[in-house]
Amino acid sequence: MDAFSDLTLADLVQDPYPAFDRIRQAGSAVCVPATRLHLVTRFADIMHIERHAADFASTNPGSLMNTVMGHSLMRKDFEAHRAERSAIEPTFCARAVQEHWVPRLGDMVDQLIGAIRHRGEADLFDAFAAPLAAQALTRLLGFERDVAWQDMCAWSQAMMDAVGNYAGDPGIAARGRAAAEAIAAEIDRALPRHQRNPGPTVLASMVQAGQTPEQIRANVNVIVGGGLNEPRDAILTLTMALLQHPKQRERVLADPALWPVAFEESVRWIAPIGMYPRRVTRDITLGDTALREGDQLGLCVGAANRDPARFDRPQDFDISRPRRQHLGFGAGPHFCAGTWVARQMVGQIAVPRLFARLKGLRLDPGTEPKVEGWVFRGPVRLKVQWDA
């Protein structure tokens, strides 16, 4: 396998796509020393991996995720994974989302837009997308009190940093432990109510399914870690894409039936969760690459969503492209449980109402949007103006 020793994590964070193109051309799985992984960037190879969990396992005894968050469903396969996933699915199923969560999400969106309408300008990262994602997650989980959105964001980031702390930075590790302790305190505060009163929240669903305290803590940690970044970044990406492509924006605003199409194209164009790991369980060949038992893989779905063998002009945001399966929510048994929530919150409520209620919404001409990340990728700055 080719070792791309010249690539740095900073390169990937700033703009991973040139590196992804190089890796895709080099092989099915390519060693990138900076990541400590063999990166898989081709759509067909990732789909093969997702269909063969016995050969490419989510379980990984040495995973930092297990150390930081506990042994969650993200690091389990087969029946162990199915049992814990089924314990949270009542919260995220289409019926619960439509009947229970959509009205509440709508109220949150309205309040946040109402708070900034008079201003005429804002950075939508911290004025809208981050607080909405954090508030929604607080309600979905069923925490007992309204946790400050800034705290939820800080816990989520601390968890993600600690999970990726391959250098063993003690400060990063300490912040991860502190976040886990704070989340555990919120769980302990909320559980008695959910034990008495079943409901549609994640904590209530897990209690009703008979999950142990260890299972509950580990899986809530995972949901806080990833369930905040994905909708936040998807909101910002879809908004940015439409602001940067005025003809497509006009089409969507003229035909509301195109909102779901625009949403799916946005998470293909920039996948909010761009990489997740797998472990090779036996000596095996993936595509054109021989792998050894124990090899650690990074499945770069952000790269697969721009694979020219799968999509024409993959670097372009284009709501007119023929519909094809993308990997913005993963695939296989670990397909994102929160997909229905994301589709409704981002594509049907948050972004449509932004454009409907902030008249003349446009990019701030003096500040370019800033997009970062490769494991998680999205705008970290999106300054806009509108007619107050």
Side-chain angles (χ1 to χ4, degrees):
M1 280 174 287
D2 294 346
F4 281 34
S5 57
D6 62 312
L7 283 179
T8 68
L9 291 177
D11 294 331
L12 293 171
V13 168
Q14 181 177 6
D15 181 3
Y17 300 114
F20 288 160
D21 289 342
R22 287 177 58 198
I23 294 166
R24 190 183 301 112
Q25 293 169 10
S28 289
V30 175
C31 178
V32 178
T35 69
R36 300 188 180 184
L37 297 166
H38 300 87
L39 298 187
V40 183
T41 56
R42 298 173 183 170
F43 189 98
D45 290 328
I46 291 178
M47 290 301 298
H48 177 85
I49 290 169
E50 291 289 15
R51 293 181 179 125
H52 296 85
D55 297 326
F56 305 96
S58 300
T59 56
N60 192 344
S63 170
L64 272 175
M65 180 176 281
N66 293 347
T67 302
V68 174
M69 297 181 171
H71 196 189
S72 74
L73 62 87
M74 294 296 289
R75 291 295 173 268
K76 296 178 181 177
D77 288 309
F78 304 115
E79 185 54 39
H81 172 262
R82 283 193 291 268
E84 293 189 17
R85 185 181 175 102
S86 67
I88 65 172
E89 283 180 340
T91 301
F92 297 112
C93 71
R95 180 175 179 178
V97 171
Q98 192 63 45
E99 294 182 358
H100 184 83
W101 296 115
V102 163
R104 290 159 177 79
L105 293 169
D107 289 344
M108 294 178 214
V109 168
D110 291 344
Q111 291 172 11
L112 286 166
I113 293 176
I116 64 172
R117 278 183 80 175
H118 67 284
R119 290 164 51 178
E121 62 179 5
D123 184 339
L124 291 180
F125 184 95
D126 55 16
F128 183 70
L132 174 59
Q135 291 171 16
L137 188 57
T138 299
R139 307 294 197 286
L140 286 158
L141 288 170
F143 282 169
E144 184 69 13
R145 65 188 181 93
D146 288 336
V147 179
W149 71 264
Q150 296 91 338
D151 288 340
M152 286 291 288
C153 290
W155 297 342
S156 177
Q157 192 60 55
M159 288 291 213
M160 293 298 97
D161 290 344
V163 166
N165 185 26
Y166 298 112
D169 185 304
I172 292 174
R175 288 191 291 275
R177 288 193 297 272
E181 291 169 1
I183 294 167
E186 294 300 331
I187 293 171
D188 292 343
R189 184 179 287 113
L191 277 182
R193 174 167 61 90
H194 295 301
Q195 289 164 343
R196 295 190 305 268
N197 302 302
T201 66
V202 169
L203 284 173
S205 296
M206 288 195 287
V207 167
Q208 294 302 305
Q211 297 287 283
T212 67
E214 292 75 17
Q215 289 172 313
I216 291 172
R217 290 192 185 98
N219 288 317
V220 169
N221 285 341
V222 164
I223 294 170
V224 171
L228 191 152
N229 293 3
E230 185 170 34
R232 178 198 68 197
D233 295 349
I235 288 167
L236 295 167
T237 295
L238 177 54
T239 303
M240 179 182 72
L242 293 177
L243 291 175
Q244 290 177 332
H245 298 82
K247 291 184 178 179
Q248 296 187 60
R249 179 178 72 241
E250 291 170 7
R251 288 183 57 200
V252 173
L253 296 182
D255 181 4
L258 290 175
W259 277 112
V261 177
F263 170 73
E264 297 295 333
E265 172 63 359
S266 72
V267 295
R268 181 211 63 83
W269 185 52
I270 300 179
I273 297 179
M275 189 280 288
Y276 50 86
R278 291 290 185 267
R279 177 177 58 88
V280 180
T281 63
R282 64 184 179 92
D283 292 356
I284 195 170
T285 298
L286 173 69
D288 56 20
T289 303
L291 296 169
R292 302 294 300 274
E293 179 181 349
D295 281 348
Q296 303 291 325
L297 305 182
L299 276 58
C300 298
V301 294
N305 281 350
R306 294 197 179 193
D307 185 344
R310 177 73 179 178
F311 303 100
D312 293 332
R313 298 174 293 101
Q315 74 282 356
D316 294 344
F317 175 83
D318 182 6
I319 63 173
S320 298
R321 72 172 63 252
R323 293 194 65 177
R324 301 197 74 184
Q325 179 188 3
H326 61 76
L327 295 173
F329 295 107
H334 286 268
F335 184 79
C336 177
T339 299
W340 278 105
V341 175
R343 284 173 170 158
Q344 289 293 322
M345 180 167 71
V346 179
Q348 298 282 19
I349 303 172
V351 181
R353 293 189 190 184
L354 272 179
F355 280 93
R357 299 181 183 179
L358 301 182
K359 300 300 183 183
L361 187 64
R362 56 194 179 271
L363 292 171
D364 184 331
T367 309
E368 287 287 326
K370 184 177 183 181
V371 183
E372 287 186 347
W374 69 288
V375 177
F376 294 91
R377 185 164 182 83
V380 297
R381 180 182 66 214
L382 186 62
K383 294 195 72 172
V384 296
Q385 298 176 348
W386 60 91
D387 303 327

mmCIF file of all heavy atoms in Angstrom, residues 227-247:
data_model
loop_
_atom_site.group_PDB
_atom_site.id
_atom_site.type_symbol
_atom_site.label_atom_id
_atom_site.label_comp_id
_atom_site.label_asym_id
_atom_site.label_seq_id
_atom_site.Cartn_x
_atom_site.Cartn_y
_atom_site.Cartn_z
ATOM 1 N N GLY A 227 -24.556 13.684 17.365
ATOM 2 C CA GLY A 227 -25.908 14.139 17.052
ATOM 3 C C GLY A 227 -26.088 15.635 17.087
ATOM 4 O O GLY A 227 -27.157 16.135 16.719
ATOM 5 N N LEU A 228 -25.084 16.355 17.532
ATOM 6 C CA LEU A 228 -25.151 17.816 17.502
ATOM 7 C C LEU A 228 -24.462 18.347 16.255
ATOM 8 O O LEU A 228 -24.998 19.212 15.553
ATOM 9 C CB LEU A 228 -24.514 18.391 18.766
ATOM 10 C CG LEU A 228 -24.719 19.884 19.026
ATOM 11 C CD1 LEU A 228 -24.684 20.167 20.522
ATOM 12 C CD2 LEU A 228 -23.681 20.755 18.330
ATOM 13 N N ASN A 229 -23.275 17.819 15.954
ATOM 14 C CA ASN A 229 -22.513 18.326 14.807
ATOM 15 C C ASN A 229 -23.250 18.137 13.493
ATOM 16 O O ASN A 229 -23.231 19.016 12.621
ATOM 17 C CB ASN A 229 -21.162 17.609 14.722
ATOM 18 C CG ASN A 229 -20.246 17.952 15.878
ATOM 19 O OD1 ASN A 229 -20.628 18.686 16.777
ATOM 20 N ND2 ASN A 229 -19.044 17.411 15.856
ATOM 21 N N GLU A 230 -23.874 16.972 13.314
ATOM 22 C CA GLU A 230 -24.450 16.669 12.004
ATOM 23 C C GLU A 230 -25.563 17.643 11.607
ATOM 24 O O GLU A 230 -25.502 18.238 10.528
ATOM 25 C CB GLU A 230 -24.948 15.230 11.964
ATOM 26 C CG GLU A 230 -25.438 14.816 10.587
ATOM 27 C CD GLU A 230 -25.701 13.324 10.492
ATOM 28 O OE1 GLU A 230 -26.132 12.732 11.490
ATOM 29 O OE2 GLU A 230 -25.480 12.757 9.411
ATOM 30 N N PRO A 231 -26.611 17.857 12.440
ATOM 31 C CA PRO A 231 -27.635 18.819 12.002
ATOM 32 C C PRO A 231 -27.124 20.253 11.934
ATOM 33 O O PRO A 231 -27.535 21.013 11.047
ATOM 34 C CB PRO A 231 -28.736 18.658 13.059
ATOM 35 C CG PRO A 231 -28.070 18.030 14.233
ATOM 36 C CD PRO A 231 -26.975 17.177 13.688
ATOM 37 N N ARG A 232 -26.240 20.627 12.868
ATOM 38 C CA ARG A 232 -25.673 21.982 12.807
ATOM 39 C C ARG A 232 -24.978 22.217 11.476
ATOM 40 O O ARG A 232 -25.241 23.209 10.782
ATOM 41 C CB ARG A 232 -24.675 22.157 13.952
ATOM 42 C CG ARG A 232 -23.975 23.513 13.980
ATOM 43 C CD ARG A 232 -22.730 23.456 14.844
ATOM 44 N NE ARG A 232 -21.696 22.614 14.248
ATOM 45 C CZ ARG A 232 -20.644 22.126 14.913
ATOM 46 N NH1 ARG A 232 -20.486 22.398 16.196
ATOM 47 N NH2 ARG A 232 -19.762 21.374 14.268
ATOM 48 N N ASP A 233 -24.108 21.298 11.097
ATOM 49 C CA ASP A 233 -23.337 21.480 9.871
ATOM 50 C C ASP A 233 -24.203 21.348 8.630
ATOM 51 O O ASP A 233 -23.965 22.016 7.620
ATOM 52 C CB ASP A 233 -22.187 20.482 9.835
ATOM 53 C CG ASP A 233 -21.169 20.733 10.944
ATOM 54 O OD1 ASP A 233 -21.253 21.804 11.588
ATOM 55 O OD2 ASP A 233 -20.303 19.871 11.172
ATOM 56 N N ALA A 234 -25.220 20.489 8.683
ATOM 57 C CA ALA A 234 -26.117 20.347 7.533
ATOM 58 C C ALA A 234 -26.933 21.614 7.310
ATOM 59 O O ALA A 234 -27.161 22.024 6.159
ATOM 60 C CB ALA A 234 -27.030 19.141 7.726
ATOM 61 N N ILE A 235 -27.382 22.249 8.379
ATOM 62 C CA ILE A 235 -28.107 23.520 8.251
ATOM 63 C C ILE A 235 -27.232 24.554 7.552
ATOM 64 O O ILE A 235 -27.661 25.238 6.609
ATOM 65 C CB ILE A 235 -28.535 24.040 9.643
ATOM 66 C CG1 ILE A 235 -29.669 23.186 10.224
ATOM 67 C CG2 ILE A 235 -28.963 25.514 9.573
ATOM 68 C CD1 ILE A 235 -29.919 23.448 11.702
ATOM 69 N N LEU A 236 -26.003 24.674 8.006
ATOM 70 C CA LEU A 236 -25.105 25.681 7.454
ATOM 71 C C LEU A 236 -24.705 25.358 6.018
ATOM 72 O O LEU A 236 -24.618 26.248 5.172
ATOM 73 C CB LEU A 236 -23.869 25.791 8.341
ATOM 74 C CG LEU A 236 -24.136 26.316 9.762
ATOM 75 C CD1 LEU A 236 -22.929 26.078 10.651
ATOM 76 C CD2 LEU A 236 -24.508 27.792 9.732
ATOM 77 N N THR A 237 -24.478 24.068 5.741
ATOM 78 C CA THR A 237 -24.080 23.687 4.383
ATOM 79 C C THR A 237 -25.191 23.945 3.381
ATOM 80 O O THR A 237 -24.952 24.491 2.292
ATOM 81 C CB THR A 237 -23.676 22.205 4.352
ATOM 82 O OG1 THR A 237 -22.510 22.021 5.157
ATOM 83 C CG2 THR A 237 -23.380 21.742 2.931
ATOM 84 N N LEU A 238 -26.416 23.554 3.699
ATOM 85 C CA LEU A 238 -27.526 23.778 2.775
ATOM 86 C C LEU A 238 -27.758 25.271 2.567
ATOM 87 O O LEU A 238 -27.982 25.723 1.434
ATOM 88 C CB LEU A 238 -28.794 23.099 3.301
ATOM 89 C CG LEU A 238 -30.060 23.305 2.472
ATOM 90 C CD1 LEU A 238 -29.859 22.907 1.019
ATOM 91 C CD2 LEU A 238 -31.231 22.528 3.094
ATOM 92 N N THR A 239 -27.720 26.051 3.642
ATOM 93 C CA THR A 239 -27.898 27.497 3.506
ATOM 94 C C THR A 239 -26.804 28.101 2.641
ATOM 95 O O THR A 239 -27.076 28.888 1.722
ATOM 96 C CB THR A 239 -27.893 28.159 4.892
ATOM 97 O OG1 THR A 239 -28.910 27.570 5.710
ATOM 98 C CG2 THR A 239 -28.143 29.658 4.780
ATOM 99 N N MET A 240 -25.557 27.730 2.910
ATOM 100 C CA MET A 240 -24.436 28.249 2.127
ATOM 101 C C MET A 240 -24.559 27.857 0.661
ATOM 102 O O MET A 240 -24.339 28.690 -0.236
ATOM 103 C CB MET A 240 -23.122 27.720 2.701
ATOM 104 C CG MET A 240 -21.881 28.179 1.960
ATOM 105 S SD MET A 240 -20.347 27.476 2.629
ATOM 106 C CE MET A 240 -20.519 25.757 2.080
ATOM 107 N N ALA A 241 -24.914 26.610 0.402
ATOM 108 C CA ALA A 241 -25.008 26.134 -0.983
ATOM 109 C C ALA A 241 -26.034 26.948 -1.768
ATOM 110 O O ALA A 241 -25.781 27.348 -2.913
ATOM 111 C CB ALA A 241 -25.374 24.651 -0.999
ATOM 112 N N LEU A 242 -27.184 27.193 -1.177
ATOM 113 C CA LEU A 242 -28.222 27.943 -1.887
ATOM 114 C C LEU A 242 -27.838 29.406 -2.062
ATOM 115 O O LEU A 242 -28.153 30.020 -3.093
ATOM 116 C CB LEU A 242 -29.549 27.813 -1.146
ATOM 117 C CG LEU A 242 -30.152 26.404 -1.154
ATOM 118 C CD1 LEU A 242 -31.431 26.361 -0.319
ATOM 119 C CD2 LEU A 242 -30.436 25.923 -2.571
ATOM 120 N N LEU A 243 -27.154 29.983 -1.075
ATOM 121 C CA LEU A 243 -26.709 31.363 -1.219
ATOM 122 C C LEU A 243 -25.628 31.499 -2.283
ATOM 123 O O LEU A 243 -25.514 32.532 -2.943
ATOM 124 C CB LEU A 243 -26.197 31.889 0.127
ATOM 125 C CG LEU A 243 -27.265 32.087 1.207
ATOM 126 C CD1 LEU A 243 -26.618 32.504 2.524
ATOM 127 C CD2 LEU A 243 -28.312 33.108 0.787
ATOM 128 N N GLN A 244 -24.837 30.458 -2.469
ATOM 129 C CA GLN A 244 -23.769 30.496 -3.472
ATOM 130 C C GLN A 244 -24.251 30.124 -4.870
ATOM 131 O O GLN A 244 -23.512 30.330 -5.837
ATOM 132 C CB GLN A 244 -22.637 29.550 -3.056
ATOM 133 C CG GLN A 244 -21.853 30.013 -1.842
ATOM 134 C CD GLN A 244 -20.789 29.004 -1.425
ATOM 135 O OE1 GLN A 244 -20.930 27.801 -1.661
ATOM 136 N NE2 GLN A 244 -19.724 29.484 -0.795
ATOM 137 N N HIS A 245 -25.467 29.587 -4.965
ATOM 138 C CA HIS A 245 -26.002 29.149 -6.257
ATOM 139 C C HIS A 245 -27.388 29.772 -6.444
ATOM 140 O O HIS A 245 -28.421 29.121 -6.229
ATOM 141 C CB HIS A 245 -26.084 27.619 -6.312
ATOM 142 C CG HIS A 245 -24.741 26.949 -6.182
ATOM 143 N ND1 HIS A 245 -24.143 26.723 -4.959
ATOM 144 C CD2 HIS A 245 -23.885 26.478 -7.128
ATOM 145 C CE1 HIS A 245 -22.983 26.116 -5.155
ATOM 146 N NE2 HIS A 245 -22.799 25.963 -6.456
ATOM 147 N N PRO A 246 -27.445 31.051 -6.840
ATOM 148 C CA PRO A 246 -28.716 31.786 -6.858
ATOM 149 C C PRO A 246 -29.768 31.189 -7.784
ATOM 150 O O PRO A 246 -30.965 31.241 -7.455
ATOM 151 C CB PRO A 246 -28.310 33.198 -7.285
ATOM 152 C CG PRO A 246 -26.938 33.068 -7.863
ATOM 153 C CD PRO A 246 -26.304 31.914 -7.179
ATOM 154 N N LYS A 247 -29.384 30.632 -8.912
ATOM 155 C CA LYS A 247 -30.394 30.050 -9.802
ATOM 156 C C LYS A 247 -31.049 28.835 -9.167
ATOM 157 O O LYS A 247 -32.272 28.646 -9.288
ATOM 158 C CB LYS A 247 -29.763 29.687 -11.148
ATOM 159 C CG LYS A 247 -29.353 30.899 -11.969
ATOM 160 C CD LYS A 247 -28.810 30.487 -13.332
ATOM 161 C CE LYS A 247 -28.443 31.720 -14.166
ATOM 162 N NZ LYS A 247 -27.883 31.340 -15.500
#
